[in-house]
Amino acid sequence: MKPIKAIFAVAALLFILSACASEVSRTTEPLPTAIPPAADTPTPPTVTPTATATPVPTPTPTPAPTATPLPTPTPLPTVTPIPPLDPLPAVVTSEIPHVFVGKVTIGGVTAIDNTDVSVWLAEFDAPIGTGITSGGNYTVLANQHGSQSFVGQFLIFKVNGLNTAQTAVWQKGGATILDLSLN
């Protein structure tokens, strides 16, 4: 209620009450109750719905891509070049060769006829002696080549071009029984 109307209503009520109280006679009848004049009934305010803004989602910023560092390549170890093998010098026919004989087995089985057997020195590009098998046996003459003596040099034995892991020491005029095997 507005304050002026409220004051007016209270004043009217007091006026009526004071008028009633001034009467001398008292009746047993109930006195009529004064009804205050109708005051303006406040009208509740009309609520007009207001449009509320629907929250617009704030876009989440997309982070800028971070460059992934490329791994630093590990340098490959420098391969030490293997010096080329020396060409095999010519046979020295005045020197007596070292003779090797023996059996040849491959995977535990006697080698078939015509299996290649060769004797090598590590520094040369060709064998110093070759032979073939017959009945599972071989014979190879390991000849002296060039002017530098082979005496005391380690010899390598191969069967069909594969290293057998058997070795021997070259001797002038030597004769050795040496069985060869490939596993």
Side-chain angles (χ1 to χ4, degrees):
M1 227 196 239
K2 293 185 180 178
I4 293 177
K5 288 183 182 181
I7 293 173
F8 177 70
V10 170
L13 181 60
L14 288 176
F15 177 72
I16 294 172
L17 287 177
S18 65
C20 291
S22 66
E23 274 185 26
V24 183
S25 72
R26 303 255 176 207
T27 60
T28 55
E29 282 183 26
L31 293 174
T33 306
I35 298 175
D40 286 341
T41 308
T43 311
T46 306
V47 177
T48 307
T50 57
T52 56
T54 305
V56 177
T58 306
T60 304
T62 304
T66 304
T68 303
L70 295 174
T72 304
T74 303
L76 295 174
T78 305
V79 177
T80 304
I82 298 172
L85 298 175
D86 294 333
L88 185 63
V91 173
V92 178
T93 55
S94 61
E95 291 285 337
I96 302 171
H98 189 147
V99 177
F100 291 92
V101 296
K103 296 181 181 189
V104 178
T105 57
I106 300 174
V109 178
T110 300
I112 60 171
D113 289 350
N114 298 316
T115 299
D116 292 321
V117 177
S118 55
V119 179
W120 297 72
L121 279 174
E123 67 264 22
F124 294 120
D125 64 355
I128 63 169
T130 61
I132 58 171
T133 59
S134 176
N137 296 310
Y138 77 97
T139 300
V140 173
L141 298 177
N143 295 298
Q144 169 69 51
H145 291 257
S147 60
Q148 190 168 358
S149 175
F150 288 169
V151 173
Q153 297 283 329
F154 279 94
L155 304 174
I156 301 165
F157 292 83
K158 295 182 181 183
V159 172
N160 285 339
L162 300 173
N163 196 338
T164 64
Q166 281 101 354
T167 61
V169 176
W170 193 88
Q171 297 172 358
K172 180 178 178 179
T176 303
I177 299 172
L178 179 65
D179 293 338
L180 304 175
S181 63
L182 283 177
N183 293 324

